[in-house]
Amino acid sequence: MTNSIREIEGMEVIFVIGSNTKETHPVIANRMLKALRKGTRLIVADPRKVPLVRFSEIFLRLKPGTDVALLNGMAHIILKEGLHNDEFINERTEGFEEWKKSIDPFTPQNASKITGIPAENIIKAAKLYGGSRKAGIFYTMGVTQHTHGTDNVNAIANLALLTGNIGREHTGINPLRGQNNVQGACDAGCLPNVYPGYQRVDMPMVKKKFEDTWGVQLSGKEGLKSTEMVESAFKGKLKALYILGENPMLTDPNIEHTRKALDKLEFMVVQDIFLTETAALADVVLPAACFAEKNGTFINTERKVHLVRKAVEPPGDAKEDSWIIAELSGRIGYPMKYSSSEEISEELGSVWPALSGISYSRISAGGIHWPCPTKDHPGTEYLYKAGFPRGKVSFTPVKYVPPAEVTDNDYPFILTTGRNLFQYHGGSMTRRVAPIEKHAGEPYVEINTEDAKKAGIKDGEKIKASSRRGQIEIKARVTDRVSSGVLFIPMHYSEAAANAITTDALDPHAKTPEFKVCAVKIEKIH
Amino acid sequence: MIRLTIDNKAIEVAEGTTVLDAAKMLNIEIPTLCHHPKLTPFGGCRLCIVEVKGVPRPLTSCTTPVSEGMEVATSTPALEDLRKTLLELILSDHPNDCMICEKAGDCTLQELAYFYGIRENRFEGERRIYEKKDGNPFIERDMGKCILCGRCVKVCDEIQGVGAIDFAYRGFKSKICPTFEKDLDCEFCGQCVAVCPTGALTGKMWQLRGRQKDINAIDTTCSYCGTGCNITLHVRNNKVVRVTSKENTWNEGWLCVKGRFGYSFINSPDRLKKPLIRIAPKESIKGSKGQSLKNSDTLTLGRSDTCDFSAIFREASWDEALDYIAAKLKEIKERSGADSIAGLSSARCTTEENYLFQKFIRAAVGTNNVDHCARL
């Protein structure tokens, strides 16, 4: 997030696109409701009538995968209505004129035709967002999990640049992080192209700095992204994989393919708190401590570093991940010696100035937002106050490209996947919580009332859902949450895993799978 | 700014401030039951009554805005007498069972009865009887203990935007219930449990797991989504038995169903307790009844009660497991190069562990093949 969660309260307009905030980030949704009570106006764009829609002034029900057309369509109207921010565009951006030309084809009529949203609603939303100078955009995987996810994000950035809705209090671009410490994992350098603090591995100066700090020769070659690791294993190039607390056998697309790929590995180690679907395929399984059993920090979606404190001892011989990693490292000839997690945190702060000013004692009563370069720096609630790090930022022309797999006569429905309120991601934790399991323990597919009627499917009836990659049997939940032609399956349930049928088509830049669109068919079970 | 005096102490506050909030600024304590600082004032319990010079009858301080020159008295014999009577009336229809109540020691009503020395009750009489047990799996609704303060109704509407419950009926028959008195079926955020001043609303999961005095409370950060809510783990005998969140933290004490109720996985019997080394080929995963498990049978897989994995893995010591991994990694690196090895880190682990993991992959193994689930 470029803003902090606190700033939500001061926004004039909130534009939520591809985020089921009320179910997946409920406490952030609470903050939005608080703002709405003070007069903030809400736009929600989503293929499903998600719970937040009830609070919105404008609901843009777009066809899955048509985000670029909607966002460019809004930009078209903002330009036509003269709502753009000339001062901001001149001072802080470049490439405006060229980008402007790329927007020409996205008339409200064209945008409406592609997205299925009535043109007047796109116009209303554009005027509302474009007419405000204190507007925040919020998005999650509904924007990124597409073969054109990077394009979607660029189209969002263009909209913010066009209106100057970034770099000030109460306005910005806010991707909501889906896991407790995705931000921290990225910041700490668990990415194949950058060292900690987003410092590129292929820049000799940076590499030298880390070689000096770590006292060893490093590789300057960019590594494999997670989805590429699976492909590389499938091709037999990748021989060994060490997995820490992840369950690709449920959360990666096209499970059957993932399984074949992991089976081809010569050696796989899984370190987890449960014997997950992935751990069951491992050569060695290591028992780890969970969040309540260790000290450290989580960095949340607003870049705020929070303390994690040990409350109980891990069960049996289970050990903290840091102990396991350090032990293993010593045994392959690179000893690591740390006396506490804070010492590790200090080392991270020494290689990345954004965290240099943060110490455990400073955050013991409440978190601090990075960048926080010095011990007396208060932290940074919103980014780009003093301008963008590389001076001017560019508008990026974005074309509308349909999803990798479109519907046809054989597979006439669009399947989109995600989370529900009660379960969490791969479910290894929440599915072991009895009341949650009792209340929301059964997989289901959301199907539109009209579609169900046409197919003769009743609410609660078990049906077959299949794609070109696999099939599952699953209970139908007949609802108008999804529009006609669209199905939704929550990802949590391994016994009817949505990812048995999703596509492994990837965004060419981010290598994020297109979980939000694939073509499926449904059949009654006789 | 408005100037007034409370108990002869002068104070200047912003227009629109309530007398209750102004008194708080002066550290003057006024008893309340229905008032909650994060909810709109209600004036239902009448305990916060004060005397204002020139006004013939007491006013509820939580709903009365300050005015210029106001002279307020918060504690007079007449007021205390009224308060005691009010409490007696509330308690006359309240089960006198603090000794078995989950909330004992942490209950506003119990606290007030203690301060006002109420043991016997002048108003013994008819009691409301609630036979219906709410069948929802999360929230115990013991309506016999409800004092109709309305905090739960307000929090559900004003904070959560759900409106799952409301007042129904009138007078002595008044009660708070879901639509048509059905079982509660809502988002189960438990905000209502957090604001309930009595034992009417508690978590079913923490029944008989120990009361407040036995508990060691540890502040930490929620491990579910990326919001990073403050949570307090209540620990008894090395077990997390309850989760709450403090009101004065950035998430204002609000949590969701996962944060508040989704903690029992910590003590799950399925937790891995020993390093495991594979002894059987990957295809031969069997259920406890010896049946072959399909890949999709994962609910059974990894569940200690239904799946016996002793035929697939054997337990090992840390030394054996780690030496084995180190030997394999060294051998593969020598044979196929460092780039034939990769590490997938976890967004569920701490920042420090993630830092160590990428350092391990980069510095110890020698490749940049490290990523995590940000894309999934």
Side-chain angles (χ1 to χ4, degrees):
Chain A
M1 289 171 74
T2 70
N3 296 117
S4 63
I5 294 168
R6 178 195 66 82
E7 290 169 66
I8 292 172
E9 274 183 56
M11 291 177 181
E12 288 172 352
V13 175
I14 294 174
F15 176 25
V16 176
I17 177 165
S19 161
N20 179 7
T21 321
K22 191 96 178 71
E23 293 194 82
T24 58
H25 296 84
V27 177
I28 291 178
N30 284 1
R31 199 56 83 113
M32 290 178 177
L33 297 194
K34 198 172 174 189
L36 298 184
R37 286 193 179 267
K38 293 184 186 169
T40 301
R41 300 167 75 180
L42 174 66
I43 308 165
V44 177
D46 205 288
R48 292 197 302 146
K49 202 171 174 186
V50 290
L52 199 61
V53 170
R54 195 156 73 78
F55 305 93
S56 68
E57 182 172 328
I58 305 166
F59 173 35
L60 307 169
R61 188 171 209 163
L62 75 171
K63 209 172 131 192
T66 62
D67 309 66
V68 164
L70 168 64
L71 295 161
N72 281 358
M74 285 174 69
H76 188 276
I77 296 154
I78 289 169
L79 283 165
K80 197 174 143 214
E81 296 285 329
L83 295 170
H84 51 288
N85 188 337
D86 280 325
E87 197 188 325
F88 185 91
I89 294 168
N90 291 334
E91 282 174 16
R92 297 177 72 171
T93 72
E94 54 194 18
F96 174 65
E97 290 303 327
E98 196 199 328
W99 169 78
K100 200 173 151 187
K101 275 180 232 145
S102 76
I103 294 299
D104 279 345
F106 293 92
T107 60
Q109 290 67 35
N110 282 343
S112 170
K113 217 165 103 190
I114 300 171
T115 58
I117 304 166
E120 63 265 28
N121 285 356
I122 304 178
I123 295 171
K124 266 205 283 190
K127 284 185 178 171
L128 186 54
Y129 177 79
S132 173
R133 291 295 176 261
K134 266 191 190 179
I137 303 180
F138 294 80
Y139 68 88
T140 60
M141 296 304 199
V143 159
T144 54
Q145 286 175 342
H146 292 280
T147 43
H148 51 268
T150 308
D151 292 346
N152 289 346
V153 173
N154 279 329
I156 286 174
N158 291 336
L159 217 49
L161 295 180
L162 181 63
T163 52
N165 273 327
I166 190 161
R168 282 173 293 116
E169 198 181 13
H170 310 303
T171 176
I173 301 175
N174 300 299
L176 304 178
R177 297 291 206 164
Q179 312 236 13
N180 57 328
N181 203 26
V182 188
Q183 187 65 52
C186 292
D187 297 346
C190 283
L191 292 170
N193 56 337
V194 289
Y195 295 116
Y198 310 94
Q199 308 176 67
R200 297 194 57 92
V201 295
D202 54 4
M203 287 173 71
M205 286 270 289
V206 174
K207 188 173 141 238
K208 174 85 176 42
K209 168 178 151 184
F210 281 92
E211 284 176 340
D212 291 346
T213 312
W214 294 341
V216 65
Q217 284 260 304
L218 296 171
S219 162
K221 192 179 137 205
E222 214 175 275
L224 298 170
K225 298 186 177 76
S226 64
T227 37
E228 292 170 327
M229 288 176 194
V230 174
E231 268 328 292
S232 181
F234 188 74
K235 288 181 186 138
K237 282 189 201 155
L238 192 70
K239 307 283 184 206
L241 186 56
Y242 177 13
I243 301 179
L244 190 63
E246 296 267 317
N247 190 10
M249 280 300 295
L250 192 56
T251 58
D252 269 26
N254 196 355
I255 287 176
E256 204 35 50
H257 181 72
T258 307
R259 184 192 172 88
K260 281 181 195 153
L262 297 184
D263 271 349
K264 286 189 181 172
L265 285 169
E266 193 183 319
F267 188 62
M268 180 161 83
V269 180
V270 174
Q271 186 167 315
D272 211 309
I273 61 172
F274 293 111
L275 191 76
T276 61
E277 293 76 5
T278 308
L281 300 177
D283 295 283
V284 184
V285 181
L286 301 175
C290 79
F291 85 106
E293 296 152 358
K294 58 195 175 191
N295 293 312
T297 60
F298 290 157
I299 305 181
N300 79 349
T301 184
E302 52 173 346
R303 299 165 281 104
K304 201 172 178 188
V305 188
H306 283 127
L307 264 193
V308 177
R309 289 189 181 91
K310 180 172 176 168
V312 289
E313 291 299 325
D317 287 349
K319 295 276 189 193
E320 291 181 25
D321 297 273
S322 51
W323 180 89
I324 306 171
I325 297 162
E327 275 292 319
L328 200 52
S329 194
R331 285 168 211 243
I332 64 168
Y334 184 79
M336 294 181 180
K337 288 271 178 286
Y338 298 95
S339 58
S340 67
S341 63
E342 185 162 20
E343 204 183 321
I344 306 170
S345 182
E346 278 162 10
E347 184 175 313
L348 173 55
S350 75
V351 294
W352 190 34
L355 290 178
S356 296
I358 292 177
S359 64
Y360 282 15
S361 62
R362 281 195 74 191
I363 56 172
S364 69
I368 295 177
H369 300 87
W370 67 249
C372 175
T374 56
K375 295 282 179 216
D376 53 1
H377 191 284
T380 309
E381 274 203 300
Y382 61 93
L383 298 178
Y384 315 131
K385 186 179 185 176
F388 297 108
R390 49 180 234 221
K392 290 186 169 190
V393 287
S394 306
F395 280 92
T396 316
V398 175
K399 281 193 197 129
Y400 168 68
V401 185
E405 190 175 57
V406 290
T407 53
D408 55 24
N409 287 338
D410 293 337
Y411 296 93
F413 285 92
I414 299 175
L415 170 70
T416 187
T417 68
R419 292 179 184 161
N420 64 28
L421 169 65
F422 295 93
Q423 299 284 0
Y424 183 78
H425 217 65
S428 65
M429 288 154 62
T430 49
R431 298 211 71 188
R432 286 181 170 87
V433 176
I436 289 181
E437 202 48 13
K438 189 176 169 200
H439 187 72
E442 209 175 12
Y444 59 89
V445 51
E446 289 180 357
I447 174 170
N448 176 268
T449 316
E450 285 304 310
D451 293 341
K453 205 192 270 173
K454 255 185 252 163
I457 292 167
K458 287 190 204 68
D459 189 54
E461 181 179 336
K462 208 163 200 185
I463 60 170
K464 192 168 103 181
S466 52
S467 72
R468 291 182 175 86
R469 293 153 297 276
Q471 63 172 59
I472 53 173
E473 288 185 4
I474 189 165
K475 262 193 184 172
R477 185 176 282 186
V478 178
T479 169
D480 289 329
R481 254 196 179 202
V482 286
S483 45
S484 181
V486 178
L487 304 173
F488 170 81
I489 301 179
M491 64 180 292
H492 320 291
Y493 304 95
S494 51
E495 65 274 38
N499 283 329
I501 52 183
T502 52
T503 168
D504 44 11
L506 304 178
D507 177 277
H509 311 285
K511 307 287 180 189
T512 299
E514 190 151 57
F515 287 126
K516 299 307 186 212
V517 186
C518 74
V520 298
K521 65 178 170 190
I522 48 169
E523 293 158 90
K524 278 175 83 78
I525 299 170
H526 297 288
Chain B
M1 296 298 276
I2 308 277
R3 278 171 301 178
L4 71 156
T5 65
I6 304 175
D7 295 344
N8 299 318
K9 285 181 197 157
I11 188 171
E12 206 172 320
V13 294
E15 198 181 336
T17 308
T18 63
V19 173
L20 181 68
D21 286 338
K24 226 173 256 169
M25 290 174 206
L26 285 168
N27 284 324
I28 295 171
E29 219 178 306
I30 300 176
T32 59
L33 270 172
C34 71
H35 179 76
H36 190 281
K38 301 219 157 65
L39 304 173
T40 54
F42 173 40
C45 76
R46 321 304 290 176
L47 276 182
C48 69
I49 43 173
V50 291
E51 285 172 6
V52 177
K53 195 175 178 187
V55 181
R57 56 196 173 81
L59 297 174
T60 46
S61 60
C62 71
T63 56
T64 307
V66 294
S67 57
E68 187 62 37
M70 206 179 217
E71 290 176 36
V72 181
T74 67
S75 181
T76 65
L79 282 176
E80 295 303 345
D81 209 40
L82 274 172
R83 283 188 187 132
K84 189 170 180 185
T85 307
L86 282 166
L87 276 170
E88 283 177 302
L89 283 166
I90 292 170
L91 288 165
S92 74
D93 187 23
H94 193 85
N96 214 349
D97 64 355
C98 297
M99 58 285 273
I100 56 157
C101 182
E102 280 295 321
K103 194 81 172 177
D106 189 26
C107 171
T108 320
L109 185 61
Q110 191 189 38
E111 200 68 359
L112 287 168
Y114 162 75
F115 278 116
Y116 282 87
I118 301 168
R119 182 152 202 186
E120 273 141 25
N121 204 304
R122 291 182 280 155
F123 304 111
E124 290 281 355
E126 198 184 342
R127 287 241 174 134
R128 294 168 300 163
I129 305 291
Y130 297 93
E131 277 165 6
K132 181 177 160 41
K133 281 285 269 181
D134 197 309
N136 84 76
F138 297 96
I139 298 170
E140 184 68 34
R141 301 179 68 242
D142 187 350
M143 290 295 104
K145 291 176 185 164
C146 174
I147 57 164
L148 299 169
C149 71
R151 281 190 190 182
C152 54
V153 176
K154 280 178 181 292
V155 82
C156 191
D157 174 37
E158 293 174 9
I159 302 297
Q160 203 63 19
V162 170
I165 43 173
D166 207 338
F167 287 94
Y169 304 99
R170 291 279 178 185
F172 191 67
K173 285 187 176 162
S174 294
K175 61 172 115 174
I176 286 164
C177 55
T179 326
F180 302 116
E181 299 186 51
K182 288 181 188 163
D183 282 355
L184 195 58
D185 183 12
C186 60
E187 294 181 0
F188 294 111
C189 60
Q191 269 33 314
C192 55
V193 177
V195 298
C196 181
T198 74
L201 300 174
T202 51
K204 284 192 174 166
M205 293 169 75
W206 59 74
Q207 304 287 314
L208 306 178
R209 299 286 197 289
R211 293 199 284 208
Q212 209 52 43
K213 69 167 182 50
D214 306 319
I215 275 163
N216 191 10
I218 287 122
D219 287 342
T220 185
T221 305
C222 181
S223 76
Y224 283 108
C225 80
T227 307
C229 295
N230 153 269
I231 55 172
T232 303
L233 301 178
H234 296 241
V235 177
R236 186 171 185 251
N237 293 337
N238 199 39
K239 268 191 181 160
V240 176
V241 292
R242 192 194 308 176
V243 170
T244 58
S245 181
K246 292 192 169 145
E247 264 174 42
N248 59 356
T249 52
W250 76 264
N251 54 301
E252 305 187 311
W254 311 132
L255 293 176
C256 74
V257 58
K258 299 181 285 282
R260 196 182 300 279
F261 297 114
Y263 59 84
S264 56
F265 74 90
I266 300 170
N267 302 326
S268 165
D270 300 349
R271 284 289 301 273
L272 290 168
K273 296 175 193 78
K274 291 250 182 211
L276 302 172
I277 293 179
R278 175 173 294 281
I279 49 173
K282 291 182 184 179
E283 304 77 57
S284 59
I285 303 165
K286 295 262 195 285
S288 56
K289 297 181 187 99
Q291 78 279 26
S292 292
L293 292 180
K294 289 198 300 281
N295 182 37
S296 57
D297 275 336
T298 39
L299 244 199
T300 358
L301 207 64
R303 300 239 160 192
S304 50
D305 50 346
T306 50
C307 179
D308 169 24
F309 46 80
S310 63
I312 317 155
F313 295 106
R314 69 174 170 82
E315 291 183 351
S317 70
W318 276 106
D319 270 334
E320 187 193 359
L322 292 171
D323 283 340
Y324 175 46
I325 298 169
K328 282 297 274 187
L329 291 182
K330 277 199 270 192
E331 177 207 321
I332 291 169
K333 182 178 168 181
E334 224 155 85
R335 181 160 35 88
S336 311
D339 286 340
S340 68
I341 299 170
L344 200 49
S345 193
S346 176
R348 324 287 300 134
C349 290
T350 64
T351 314
E352 291 77 4
E353 287 160 346
N354 274 287
Y355 176 81
L356 273 202
F357 188 79
Q358 61 85 35
K359 187 176 175 183
F360 170 77
I361 297 290
R362 291 192 159 113
V365 177
T367 174
N368 285 312
N369 289 340
V370 59
D371 200 3
H372 69 288
C373 67
R375 288 159 235 277
L376 304 172

